[in-house]
Each structure stands twice: as structure tokens, then as C-alpha cells.
Amino acid sequence: MPEHQSSFHPPTDQDIVSDDTGIYDVAIAGAGPIGLATAIGLRQRGIENFIVIDRTRAFRQVGQVLDLLPNGLKALKSLDFKAYEAVKKTAFGFFNFNPGNNDNKTIGEVGEHKPPKTSPEWVQKNIRGQRIRSISLSYDDWFKDYGEGRVSIPWYDLQTVLRHQLPPERVKANHCCINVVTEPEAGCVRLDFVSDIGKEINPYAYWANDTQPQNLEPPAQVSEIKSIRAKLVVAADGINSTIRRVLYADSSYSAFAQPEYSGFAAISCRDIPEIPNQLRTELVEKFFEDSPIVTIVNDETGSDSVGSATRMMLFGRLRGHLGYIIHLPLPLVLLEGKSESCLIDLALQGLEKAGFPDSIKQLVRLSPPANMRQRPYYIHRVTIADSIQPGENSPPWSAGRIVLVGDAAHGMPPFMAQGVNQGFEDALAIATLIANIAEKNHWDEAQIIAKAFEEYEHFRRPLMVYIQKATLTRFPHWSDQALQEYNQRVYSRLTPDDPITKVSASA
């Protein structure tokens, strides 16, 4: 892509107030887990002159529970062992459920309490209640199979643990990036930002109930636009990346500046407190067994329809309550503006169409309207539909001194739980490459920097093509063999001999 200044929020020189007189080696836009992991990896490799900025006015408790799978944990471990251990410790404390305490019982209060299984499972069943397969939730089971375990952790807890691994003065909230400009004569990039913007909703990554997202742009009249400068910029600012929009705005890739609707959405009820005992008993005995969570799908459709099949994740809550998330293919126009009872009706239509049993539909009818939420899933496709090879005619992930990572490069629905895990792999590759640039003092070598970022894309894009295909078609669930092959390809990677861990050698 050509060096350019975008027309997206174009401030004039008179508008800009320099926030720092010096130039950072690296500026990272986005203080989510991926941006923070990148910063941690840089610091571990001797780079201290960096800054992480984020649009949020203050770090607060937001986000869903994330599954950190073997490939993500391996990447984090390679980034920084101390951070890896801190994340695991926090995650192990997240699941402290005591099955012997009735006050904490997650699945109904009916029948005798059964001893818990040694290894908790996430069970997948068909609509008749027959087991299709199960996934162990035990860290040790995963470690035995893939050389690393699996943990779950709330997004905010993960962000907090990683943020505490860095000097507080290196992580700045209330810095909303509105523009990025390459300054070739200075050998750096300028990031313009504003502060104290109003509370805004990300329209591409949020759960909505009774409100629609507001305009994400900063106010038209800003009292002061400030700037920072850095030799390299890592855009980890999420699926609604400002930097991505700026980079693509005046290029042949402008159509890919913003994410597109994936065709899938989620409808959820976080808690159903009032459930008749007879219905609860039927659901527990038919679907849950001893599992805290179960995925229900109609397996009577052919394998070609697996990707578009409606799926329901049914989970136990405290005091015998239940909750659910339904993933279903849905035109976006049918979801827009829907809330409360309208979402219940939409969920029931999807379940009816997918052939779900009356007991499931009866449960959904009991959903308190105020507890209903919906979320459309968006995607930055790694390869465009008419490309022949991965990367051909596809939007690049870098431009000069600027590189995209995580959801800013390849955001996607969470169906295979690979968003944060692939983001950690990006962070490892980028931290390794930038460390090599620093070690050889190539900060002023534009061609070497461009080659390094091209190498990052060369290693990462083919795997992301595979991951996005798995996410959208769910082909690993077509058969046990397909799932085993997927698991081996994705989770058994990142050994000491993996190219990503050795990428700096050829940079």
C-alpha cells in the first residue's frame, strides 16, 4: 500500500499538539490481551521504549469468558513465562465450583447429587439427547494430548493480569486513536488521538439488549487533538480497528476497511430462574448428564450443512438456574432492532426450523425478556472470494511501518475459540520480528521493516485461512477424524522447532 494520510478524521497541523517530544520505538494501539501480550513480548526481548494506548476512558470489567487453548498458551509462554504463569494462576482460580455445596449447585436441584467426574466435560449431543462427542475441560488431559493445557478466564481478568506485567506508565487509557500518518522524512509514524470522548459501543463486537449501537466516531468538535510518534506501529485495536480503516481508506482495499457480517448471530438468555421441576429434570437427564455445559445440534443434516446448522449451548447457573446461547444463520436485517420478547420469538423460529424438541422450546419461552441479548458476528476475511491462493488480492496486513494483528487483521466469530489464541500467535511472531529489527538496529531501514512484516504475513495468513474456514463451515465437527486432524494441526504446533519461534533467523 502507498504511504498516505487518510481522509478519516483529517486533522490539520494547527490541530495537533505533540504529546511527547521523543519518538517511541514501538506504539501499540489497543490495550486488549493481544496488544498487551505484544508489549510484554517486546519488553521480554529488551525493548523498553514503547507505549500502549487504548480508547477506553478507564479499564473496567467488560467482556466474555475466553478459552485459552494449547496453541495460545504455548505462544504466551514463548512471549513471557512470568505472564504465562500469572494467567494460568488466575484462570485456575476462576473455576472454584464446589459440587458438594447446594448453594453453588449449577444444574437443577432435583434428584440425588452424583459425585463429580474426575475430568469435567463439555458434551455435544443431538436433539434426541444422544451423545455425539465430548471435550475434556481438564488442563491435564489437554496437556497430555498436545503438550499444553486449556484454561478459561474472563476477558477483563486476562487483560488485568497482562496489564500488571507492564510498567503502568507504558499503558495509557483515554487515548482514542483517530488518525495515523506516515512521516517518511522523520522515519516514523504519527498517531493522532483525542481523550474524554463519550461512552461508545463497538457495533462489531458487543452484546445488545434494548439499544442499538451509537455512532462510534469521536465528536465532530474536539477541543484538542494530540499525537505521539513511533518508529513502528502495531495495530491491535480490534475488529473495529481505526488504523485498518485509515490504511485502507484511500487504497484499492477500501471495501475491506470495515468488517462484514458473517451471516451468523447469537441470541442469548443469561439466566432463567423460574423453571418447573419437571422440565428441569427432563433437560438435566436428557442433555446435561454431569456436564456443566452442553452443545445441542441436529445431526440429521448432512455434513455439508454442519456449518450452517443452528446450535444451542445450554449451561447451568447457580441455584439451579439455566442459561443458553443459540448460534444460528440469520439475515442481519431480521436481527436489527430486535430486543426482549422479539428475540425470544426469533430464537423460537430458529429452533423450530432446526427441529429442536419441545422441551428446549419450552425452556426458551420461559426466558425473562429483560435477560435477552443478541449479537451479530462480523469477520475480516483473510482471503477474498475470488482469490486463487491465500493472500492473492487479499487485503495486506501491513503498510510501511504499520502492521495489523489479532482481530484488526482477521477478526471472526468465536465458534472455534481461536480469536485470542491466534492473536497470541500474532503477538509472538511480531514481537520476535521487531526484536530482531532492534537487535540489528534496522529501525531506519524501511525495506527491511517491510520485509519483516511480509514474513509475518507469510507465516500467519495460510493458517488463518484454515482457521477461518473451520470457523465458518465447522468442518472439524463433520467427523471424529476431521476433529482429530484439526486438533493436531492447530494445537500441536508452536514447538521449539516451529517456524514462528524461529522466524527472526531469516528476518
Side-chain angles (χ1 to χ4, degrees), residues 467-496:
I467 295 294
Q468 284 198 350
K469 179 180 178 182
T471 297
L472 295 177
T473 69
R474 309 192 205 195
F475 70 80
H477 296 289
W478 291 358
S479 66
D480 290 338
Q481 180 180 351
L483 184 60
Q484 184 178 5
E485 291 174 354
Y486 169 87
N487 290 347
Q488 288 297 324
R489 179 170 179 179
V490 176
Y491 303 143
S492 296
R493 298 167 51 259
L494 291 176
T495 65

PDB file of all heavy atoms in Angstrom, residues 467-496:
ATOM      1  N   ILE A 467      -8.088 -21.603   9.672  1.00  0.00           N
ATOM      2  CA  ILE A 467      -8.866 -21.356  10.894  1.00  0.00           C
ATOM      3  C   ILE A 467     -10.214 -20.722  10.553  1.00  0.00           C
ATOM      4  O   ILE A 467     -11.262 -21.111  11.105  1.00  0.00           O
ATOM      5  CB  ILE A 467      -8.076 -20.460  11.864  1.00  0.00           C
ATOM      6  CG1 ILE A 467      -6.815 -21.179  12.371  1.00  0.00           C
ATOM      7  CG2 ILE A 467      -8.955 -20.034  13.038  1.00  0.00           C
ATOM      8  CD1 ILE A 467      -7.082 -22.380  13.236  1.00  0.00           C
ATOM      9  N   GLN A 468     -10.222 -19.755   9.654  1.00  0.00           N
ATOM     10  CA  GLN A 468     -11.499 -19.122   9.300  1.00  0.00           C
ATOM     11  C   GLN A 468     -12.420 -20.098   8.570  1.00  0.00           C
ATOM     12  O   GLN A 468     -13.636 -20.071   8.777  1.00  0.00           O
ATOM     13  CB  GLN A 468     -11.261 -17.874   8.458  1.00  0.00           C
ATOM     14  CG  GLN A 468     -10.767 -16.694   9.257  1.00  0.00           C
ATOM     15  CD  GLN A 468     -10.934 -15.377   8.537  1.00  0.00           C
ATOM     16  OE1 GLN A 468     -11.254 -15.320   7.349  1.00  0.00           O
ATOM     17  NE2 GLN A 468     -10.721 -14.282   9.256  1.00  0.00           N
ATOM     18  N   LYS A 469     -11.852 -20.968   7.742  1.00  0.00           N
ATOM     19  CA  LYS A 469     -12.684 -21.979   7.086  1.00  0.00           C
ATOM     20  C   LYS A 469     -13.302 -22.906   8.134  1.00  0.00           C
ATOM     21  O   LYS A 469     -14.499 -23.239   8.060  1.00  0.00           O
ATOM     22  CB  LYS A 469     -11.850 -22.789   6.099  1.00  0.00           C
ATOM     23  CG  LYS A 469     -12.641 -23.876   5.381  1.00  0.00           C
ATOM     24  CD  LYS A 469     -11.776 -24.665   4.411  1.00  0.00           C
ATOM     25  CE  LYS A 469     -12.586 -25.780   3.736  1.00  0.00           C
ATOM     26  NZ  LYS A 469     -11.743 -26.594   2.819  1.00  0.00           N
ATOM     27  N   ALA A 470     -12.507 -23.315   9.112  1.00  0.00           N
ATOM     28  CA  ALA A 470     -13.029 -24.169  10.185  1.00  0.00           C
ATOM     29  C   ALA A 470     -14.117 -23.454  10.970  1.00  0.00           C
ATOM     30  O   ALA A 470     -15.120 -24.051  11.376  1.00  0.00           O
ATOM     31  CB  ALA A 470     -11.889 -24.601  11.115  1.00  0.00           C
ATOM     32  N   THR A 471     -13.932 -22.161  11.189  1.00  0.00           N
ATOM     33  CA  THR A 471     -14.898 -21.381  11.958  1.00  0.00           C
ATOM     34  C   THR A 471     -16.231 -21.255  11.230  1.00  0.00           C
ATOM     35  O   THR A 471     -17.308 -21.427  11.824  1.00  0.00           O
ATOM     36  CB  THR A 471     -14.326 -19.986  12.248  1.00  0.00           C
ATOM     37  OG1 THR A 471     -13.156 -20.110  13.063  1.00  0.00           O
ATOM     38  CG2 THR A 471     -15.344 -19.108  12.959  1.00  0.00           C
ATOM     39  N   LEU A 472     -16.197 -20.959   9.953  1.00  0.00           N
ATOM     40  CA  LEU A 472     -17.427 -20.693   9.206  1.00  0.00           C
ATOM     41  C   LEU A 472     -18.139 -21.957   8.742  1.00  0.00           C
ATOM     42  O   LEU A 472     -19.373 -21.986   8.653  1.00  0.00           O
ATOM     43  CB  LEU A 472     -17.118 -19.796   8.006  1.00  0.00           C
ATOM     44  CG  LEU A 472     -16.618 -18.387   8.349  1.00  0.00           C
ATOM     45  CD1 LEU A 472     -16.281 -17.618   7.088  1.00  0.00           C
ATOM     46  CD2 LEU A 472     -17.646 -17.634   9.183  1.00  0.00           C
ATOM     47  N   THR A 473     -17.380 -23.016   8.435  1.00  0.00           N
ATOM     48  CA  THR A 473     -18.004 -24.267   7.970  1.00  0.00           C
ATOM     49  C   THR A 473     -18.090 -25.308   9.067  1.00  0.00           C
ATOM     50  O   THR A 473     -18.849 -26.266   8.946  1.00  0.00           O
ATOM     51  CB  THR A 473     -17.211 -24.862   6.804  1.00  0.00           C
ATOM     52  OG1 THR A 473     -15.940 -25.329   7.280  1.00  0.00           O
ATOM     53  CG2 THR A 473     -17.001 -23.846   5.701  1.00  0.00           C
ATOM     54  N   ARG A 474     -17.285 -25.136  10.129  1.00  0.00           N
ATOM     55  CA  ARG A 474     -17.206 -26.086  11.242  1.00  0.00           C
ATOM     56  C   ARG A 474     -16.885 -27.492  10.740  1.00  0.00           C
ATOM     57  O   ARG A 474     -17.363 -28.492  11.313  1.00  0.00           O
ATOM     58  CB  ARG A 474     -18.497 -26.083  12.053  1.00  0.00           C
ATOM     59  CG  ARG A 474     -18.906 -24.676  12.471  1.00  0.00           C
ATOM     60  CD  ARG A 474     -20.006 -24.665  13.493  1.00  0.00           C
ATOM     61  NE  ARG A 474     -20.753 -23.429  13.437  1.00  0.00           N
ATOM     62  CZ  ARG A 474     -21.582 -23.009  14.381  1.00  0.00           C
ATOM     63  NH1 ARG A 474     -21.760 -23.733  15.444  1.00  0.00           N
ATOM     64  NH2 ARG A 474     -22.236 -21.884  14.248  1.00  0.00           N
ATOM     65  N   PHE A 475     -16.064 -27.577   9.714  1.00  0.00           N
ATOM     66  CA  PHE A 475     -15.747 -28.890   9.158  1.00  0.00           C
ATOM     67  C   PHE A 475     -15.068 -29.828  10.161  1.00  0.00           C
ATOM     68  O   PHE A 475     -15.190 -31.048  10.022  1.00  0.00           O
ATOM     69  CB  PHE A 475     -14.885 -28.756   7.896  1.00  0.00           C
ATOM     70  CG  PHE A 475     -13.473 -28.293   8.125  1.00  0.00           C
ATOM     71  CD1 PHE A 475     -12.486 -29.169   8.551  1.00  0.00           C
ATOM     72  CD2 PHE A 475     -13.116 -26.966   7.885  1.00  0.00           C
ATOM     73  CE1 PHE A 475     -11.182 -28.741   8.751  1.00  0.00           C
ATOM     74  CE2 PHE A 475     -11.813 -26.546   8.086  1.00  0.00           C
ATOM     75  CZ  PHE A 475     -10.847 -27.432   8.524  1.00  0.00           C
ATOM     76  N   PRO A 476     -14.361 -29.321  11.199  1.00  0.00           N
ATOM     77  CA  PRO A 476     -13.811 -30.280  12.168  1.00  0.00           C
ATOM     78  C   PRO A 476     -14.879 -31.114  12.877  1.00  0.00           C
ATOM     79  O   PRO A 476     -14.580 -32.182  13.416  1.00  0.00           O
ATOM     80  CB  PRO A 476     -13.070 -29.378  13.160  1.00  0.00           C
ATOM     81  CG  PRO A 476     -12.694 -28.173  12.374  1.00  0.00           C
ATOM     82  CD  PRO A 476     -13.877 -27.951  11.461  1.00  0.00           C
ATOM     83  N   HIS A 477     -16.128 -30.635  12.866  1.00  0.00           N
ATOM     84  CA  HIS A 477     -17.200 -31.371  13.534  1.00  0.00           C
ATOM     85  C   HIS A 477     -17.931 -32.336  12.594  1.00  0.00           C
ATOM     86  O   HIS A 477     -18.919 -32.953  12.992  1.00  0.00           O
ATOM     87  CB  HIS A 477     -18.193 -30.390  14.159  1.00  0.00           C
ATOM     88  CG  HIS A 477     -17.611 -29.549  15.246  1.00  0.00           C
ATOM     89  ND1 HIS A 477     -17.277 -30.062  16.486  1.00  0.00           N
ATOM     90  CD2 HIS A 477     -17.266 -28.235  15.276  1.00  0.00           C
ATOM     91  CE1 HIS A 477     -16.768 -29.087  17.241  1.00  0.00           C
ATOM     92  NE2 HIS A 477     -16.749 -27.984  16.535  1.00  0.00           N
ATOM     93  N   TRP A 478     -17.454 -32.459  11.356  1.00  0.00           N
ATOM     94  CA  TRP A 478     -18.102 -33.391  10.446  1.00  0.00           C
ATOM     95  C   TRP A 478     -17.910 -34.830  10.894  1.00  0.00           C
ATOM     96  O   TRP A 478     -18.758 -35.683  10.666  1.00  0.00           O
ATOM     97  CB  TRP A 478     -17.528 -33.219   9.036  1.00  0.00           C
ATOM     98  CG  TRP A 478     -17.905 -31.931   8.389  1.00  0.00           C
ATOM     99  CD1 TRP A 478     -18.707 -30.945   8.904  1.00  0.00           C
ATOM    100  CD2 TRP A 478     -17.487 -31.457   7.107  1.00  0.00           C
ATOM    101  NE1 TRP A 478     -18.804 -29.901   8.033  1.00  0.00           N
ATOM    102  CE2 TRP A 478     -18.069 -30.183   6.917  1.00  0.00           C
ATOM    103  CE3 TRP A 478     -16.683 -31.989   6.110  1.00  0.00           C
ATOM    104  CZ2 TRP A 478     -17.871 -29.435   5.758  1.00  0.00           C
ATOM    105  CZ3 TRP A 478     -16.487 -31.244   4.952  1.00  0.00           C
ATOM    106  CH2 TRP A 478     -17.078 -29.984   4.781  1.00  0.00           C
ATOM    107  N   SER A 479     -16.761 -35.105  11.520  1.00  0.00           N
ATOM    108  CA  SER A 479     -16.468 -36.474  11.961  1.00  0.00           C
ATOM    109  C   SER A 479     -15.399 -36.423  13.031  1.00  0.00           C
ATOM    110  O   SER A 479     -14.706 -35.405  13.190  1.00  0.00           O
ATOM    111  CB  SER A 479     -15.976 -37.337  10.791  1.00  0.00           C
ATOM    112  OG  SER A 479     -14.713 -36.872  10.330  1.00  0.00           O
ATOM    113  N   ASP A 480     -15.254 -37.522  13.762  1.00  0.00           N
ATOM    114  CA  ASP A 480     -14.207 -37.599  14.777  1.00  0.00           C
ATOM    115  C   ASP A 480     -12.825 -37.486  14.138  1.00  0.00           C
ATOM    116  O   ASP A 480     -11.911 -36.876  14.709  1.00  0.00           O
ATOM    117  CB  ASP A 480     -14.320 -38.915  15.556  1.00  0.00           C
ATOM    118  CG  ASP A 480     -15.549 -38.952  16.452  1.00  0.00           C
ATOM    119  OD1 ASP A 480     -16.067 -37.860  16.794  1.00  0.00           O
ATOM    120  OD2 ASP A 480     -15.988 -40.056  16.818  1.00  0.00           O
ATOM    121  N   GLN A 481     -12.656 -38.068  12.958  1.00  0.00           N
ATOM    122  CA  GLN A 481     -11.369 -37.999  12.276  1.00  0.00           C
ATOM    123  C   GLN A 481     -11.038 -36.560  11.877  1.00  0.00           C
ATOM    124  O   GLN A 481      -9.901 -36.099  12.046  1.00  0.00           O
ATOM    125  CB  GLN A 481     -11.361 -38.889  11.041  1.00  0.00           C
ATOM    126  CG  GLN A 481     -10.034 -38.865  10.280  1.00  0.00           C
ATOM    127  CD  GLN A 481     -10.044 -39.768   9.051  1.00  0.00           C
ATOM    128  OE1 GLN A 481     -10.979 -40.544   8.851  1.00  0.00           O
ATOM    129  NE2 GLN A 481      -9.015 -39.666   8.226  1.00  0.00           N
ATOM    130  N   ALA A 482     -12.042 -35.837  11.359  1.00  0.00           N
ATOM    131  CA  ALA A 482     -11.811 -34.449  10.969  1.00  0.00           C
ATOM    132  C   ALA A 482     -11.441 -33.600  12.182  1.00  0.00           C
ATOM    133  O   ALA A 482     -10.548 -32.735  12.105  1.00  0.00           O
ATOM    134  CB  ALA A 482     -13.057 -33.879  10.291  1.00  0.00           C
ATOM    135  N   LEU A 483     -12.090 -33.861  13.307  1.00  0.00           N
ATOM    136  CA  LEU A 483     -11.784 -33.116  14.524  1.00  0.00           C
ATOM    137  C   LEU A 483     -10.380 -33.427  15.022  1.00  0.00           C
ATOM    138  O   LEU A 483      -9.635 -32.522  15.439  1.00  0.00           O
ATOM    139  CB  LEU A 483     -12.813 -33.431  15.606  1.00  0.00           C
ATOM    140  CG  LEU A 483     -12.667 -32.651  16.919  1.00  0.00           C
ATOM    141  CD1 LEU A 483     -12.777 -31.153  16.670  1.00  0.00           C
ATOM    142  CD2 LEU A 483     -13.708 -33.105  17.932  1.00  0.00           C
ATOM    143  N   GLN A 484      -9.996 -34.687  14.968  1.00  0.00           N
ATOM    144  CA  GLN A 484      -8.661 -35.079  15.414  1.00  0.00           C
ATOM    145  C   GLN A 484      -7.594 -34.434  14.538  1.00  0.00           C
ATOM    146  O   GLN A 484      -6.568 -33.948  15.046  1.00  0.00           O
ATOM    147  CB  GLN A 484      -8.514 -36.597  15.396  1.00  0.00           C
ATOM    148  CG  GLN A 484      -7.175 -37.089  15.933  1.00  0.00           C
ATOM    149  CD  GLN A 484      -7.093 -38.603  15.949  1.00  0.00           C
ATOM    150  OE1 GLN A 484      -7.982 -39.298  15.480  1.00  0.00           O
ATOM    151  NE2 GLN A 484      -6.004 -39.124  16.508  1.00  0.00           N
ATOM    152  N   GLU A 485      -7.814 -34.415  13.233  1.00  0.00           N
ATOM    153  CA  GLU A 485      -6.846 -33.797  12.332  1.00  0.00           C
ATOM    154  C   GLU A 485      -6.737 -32.299  12.594  1.00  0.00           C
ATOM    155  O   GLU A 485      -5.633 -31.724  12.584  1.00  0.00           O
ATOM    156  CB  GLU A 485      -7.249 -34.062  10.881  1.00  0.00           C
ATOM    157  CG  GLU A 485      -7.110 -35.533  10.470  1.00  0.00           C
ATOM    158  CD  GLU A 485      -7.657 -35.793   9.073  1.00  0.00           C
ATOM    159  OE1 GLU A 485      -8.252 -34.853   8.475  1.00  0.00           O
ATOM    160  OE2 GLU A 485      -7.505 -36.928   8.578  1.00  0.00           O
ATOM    161  N   TYR A 486      -7.869 -31.647  12.809  1.00  0.00           N
ATOM    162  CA  TYR A 486      -7.855 -30.222  13.127  1.00  0.00           C
ATOM    163  C   TYR A 486      -7.093 -29.971  14.429  1.00  0.00           C
ATOM    164  O   TYR A 486      -6.232 -29.076  14.504  1.00  0.00           O
ATOM    165  CB  TYR A 486      -9.285 -29.701  13.245  1.00  0.00           C
ATOM    166  CG  TYR A 486      -9.385 -28.306  13.814  1.00  0.00           C
ATOM    167  CD1 TYR A 486      -9.291 -27.191  12.990  1.00  0.00           C
ATOM    168  CD2 TYR A 486      -9.584 -28.106  15.180  1.00  0.00           C
ATOM    169  CE1 TYR A 486      -9.375 -25.903  13.514  1.00  0.00           C
ATOM    170  CE2 TYR A 486      -9.670 -26.829  15.713  1.00  0.00           C
ATOM    171  CZ  TYR A 486      -9.570 -25.732  14.877  1.00  0.00           C
ATOM    172  OH  TYR A 486      -9.645 -24.464  15.402  1.00  0.00           O
ATOM    173  N   ASN A 487      -7.396 -30.732  15.459  1.00  0.00           N
ATOM    174  CA  ASN A 487      -6.747 -30.542  16.756  1.00  0.00           C
ATOM    175  C   ASN A 487      -5.235 -30.690  16.655  1.00  0.00           C
ATOM    176  O   ASN A 487      -4.470 -29.909  17.236  1.00  0.00           O
ATOM    177  CB  ASN A 487      -7.302 -31.525  17.773  1.00  0.00           C
ATOM    178  CG  ASN A 487      -8.736 -31.218  18.172  1.00  0.00           C
ATOM    179  OD1 ASN A 487      -9.253 -30.134  17.871  1.00  0.00           O
ATOM    180  ND2 ASN A 487      -9.389 -32.155  18.834  1.00  0.00           N
ATOM    181  N   GLN A 488      -4.798 -31.708  15.925  1.00  0.00           N
ATOM    182  CA  GLN A 488      -3.365 -31.924  15.787  1.00  0.00           C
ATOM    183  C   GLN A 488      -2.715 -30.770  15.027  1.00  0.00           C
ATOM    184  O   GLN A 488      -1.625 -30.306  15.403  1.00  0.00           O
ATOM    185  CB  GLN A 488      -3.090 -33.243  15.062  1.00  0.00           C
ATOM    186  CG  GLN A 488      -3.387 -34.492  15.905  1.00  0.00           C
ATOM    187  CD  GLN A 488      -2.498 -34.577  17.141  1.00  0.00           C
ATOM    188  OE1 GLN A 488      -1.330 -34.198  17.121  1.00  0.00           O
ATOM    189  NE2 GLN A 488      -3.055 -35.099  18.224  1.00  0.00           N
ATOM    190  N   ARG A 489      -3.360 -30.310  13.994  1.00  0.00           N
ATOM    191  CA  ARG A 489      -2.768 -29.237  13.185  1.00  0.00           C
ATOM    192  C   ARG A 489      -2.699 -27.921  13.949  1.00  0.00           C
ATOM    193  O   ARG A 489      -1.723 -27.175  13.834  1.00  0.00           O
ATOM    194  CB  ARG A 489      -3.563 -29.043  11.895  1.00  0.00           C
ATOM    195  CG  ARG A 489      -3.015 -27.918  11.027  1.00  0.00           C
ATOM    196  CD  ARG A 489      -3.642 -27.889   9.658  1.00  0.00           C
ATOM    197  NE  ARG A 489      -3.097 -26.775   8.877  1.00  0.00           N
ATOM    198  CZ  ARG A 489      -3.437 -26.508   7.623  1.00  0.00           C
ATOM    199  NH1 ARG A 489      -4.310 -27.292   6.996  1.00  0.00           N
ATOM    200  NH2 ARG A 489      -2.919 -25.477   6.990  1.00  0.00           N
ATOM    201  N   VAL A 490      -3.715 -27.641  14.758  1.00  0.00           N
ATOM    202  CA  VAL A 490      -3.784 -26.351  15.441  1.00  0.00           C
ATOM    203  C   VAL A 490      -3.102 -26.376  16.798  1.00  0.00           C
ATOM    204  O   VAL A 490      -2.301 -25.488  17.127  1.00  0.00           O
ATOM    205  CB  VAL A 490      -5.253 -25.897  15.584  1.00  0.00           C
ATOM    206  CG1 VAL A 490      -5.344 -24.596  16.380  1.00  0.00           C
ATOM    207  CG2 VAL A 490      -5.888 -25.731  14.214  1.00  0.00           C
ATOM    208  N   TYR A 491      -3.380 -27.398  17.615  1.00  0.00           N
ATOM    209  CA  TYR A 491      -2.913 -27.395  18.995  1.00  0.00           C
ATOM    210  C   TYR A 491      -1.499 -27.941  19.184  1.00  0.00           C
ATOM    211  O   TYR A 491      -0.839 -27.612  20.170  1.00  0.00           O
ATOM    212  CB  TYR A 491      -3.866 -28.202  19.881  1.00  0.00           C
ATOM    213  CG  TYR A 491      -5.292 -27.720  19.845  1.00  0.00           C
ATOM    214  CD1 TYR A 491      -6.351 -28.627  19.884  1.00  0.00           C
ATOM    215  CD2 TYR A 491      -5.594 -26.361  19.758  1.00  0.00           C
ATOM    216  CE1 TYR A 491      -7.668 -28.198  19.846  1.00  0.00           C
ATOM    217  CE2 TYR A 491      -6.906 -25.925  19.712  1.00  0.00           C
ATOM    218  CZ  TYR A 491      -7.942 -26.850  19.758  1.00  0.00           C
ATOM    219  OH  TYR A 491      -9.233 -26.419  19.712  1.00  0.00           O
ATOM    220  N   SER A 492      -1.055 -28.793  18.279  1.00  0.00           N
ATOM    221  CA  SER A 492       0.255 -29.416  18.457  1.00  0.00           C
ATOM    222  C   SER A 492       1.376 -28.590  17.834  1.00  0.00           C
ATOM    223  O   SER A 492       2.509 -29.064  17.729  1.00  0.00           O
ATOM    224  CB  SER A 492       0.250 -30.834  17.856  1.00  0.00           C
ATOM    225  OG  SER A 492      -0.654 -31.670  18.561  1.00  0.00           O
ATOM    226  N   ARG A 493       1.075 -27.380  17.440  1.00  0.00           N
ATOM    227  CA  ARG A 493       2.086 -26.512  16.855  1.00  0.00           C
ATOM    228  C   ARG A 493       2.868 -25.761  17.930  1.00  0.00           C
ATOM    229  O   ARG A 493       2.746 -26.026  19.103  1.00  0.00           O
ATOM    230  CB  ARG A 493       1.418 -25.509  15.911  1.00  0.00           C
ATOM    231  CG  ARG A 493       0.706 -26.168  14.751  1.00  0.00           C
ATOM    232  CD  ARG A 493      -0.198 -25.206  14.012  1.00  0.00           C
ATOM    233  NE  ARG A 493       0.480 -23.993  13.647  1.00  0.00           N
ATOM    234  CZ  ARG A 493       0.358 -22.840  14.306  1.00  0.00           C
ATOM    235  NH1 ARG A 493      -0.451 -22.768  15.346  1.00  0.00           N
ATOM    236  NH2 ARG A 493       1.010 -21.772  13.925  1.00  0.00           N
ATOM    237  N   LEU A 494       3.699 -24.830  17.461  1.00  0.00           N
ATOM    238  CA  LEU A 494       4.481 -23.963  18.340  1.00  0.00           C
ATOM    239  C   LEU A 494       5.402 -24.756  19.257  1.00  0.00           C
ATOM    240  O   LEU A 494       5.512 -24.493  20.445  1.00  0.00           O
ATOM    241  CB  LEU A 494       3.562 -23.051  19.153  1.00  0.00           C
ATOM    242  CG  LEU A 494       2.834 -21.982  18.337  1.00  0.00           C
ATOM    243  CD1 LEU A 494       1.872 -21.194  19.210  1.00  0.00           C
ATOM    244  CD2 LEU A 494       3.805 -21.043  17.659  1.00  0.00           C
ATOM    245  N   THR A 495       6.059 -25.753  18.696  1.00  0.00           N
ATOM    246  CA  THR A 495       7.145 -26.434  19.387  1.00  0.00           C
ATOM    247  C   THR A 495       8.414 -25.611  19.183  1.00  0.00           C
ATOM    248  O   THR A 495       8.436 -24.653  18.399  1.00  0.00           O
ATOM    249  CB  THR A 495       7.349 -27.838  18.792  1.00  0.00           C
ATOM    250  OG1 THR A 495       7.782 -27.701  17.432  1.00  0.00           O
ATOM    251  CG2 THR A 495       6.052 -28.626  18.841  1.00  0.00           C
ATOM    252  N   PRO A 496       9.511 -25.940  19.876  1.00  0.00           N
ATOM    253  CA  PRO A 496      10.755 -25.173  19.676  1.00  0.00           C
ATOM    254  C   PRO A 496      11.222 -25.143  18.231  1.00  0.00           C
ATOM    255  O   PRO A 496      11.951 -24.238  17.825  1.00  0.00           O
ATOM    256  CB  PRO A 496      11.750 -25.906  20.586  1.00  0.00           C
ATOM    257  CG  PRO A 496      10.902 -26.491  21.671  1.00  0.00           C
ATOM    258  CD  PRO A 496       9.621 -26.904  20.981  1.00  0.00           C
TER     259      PRO A 496
END
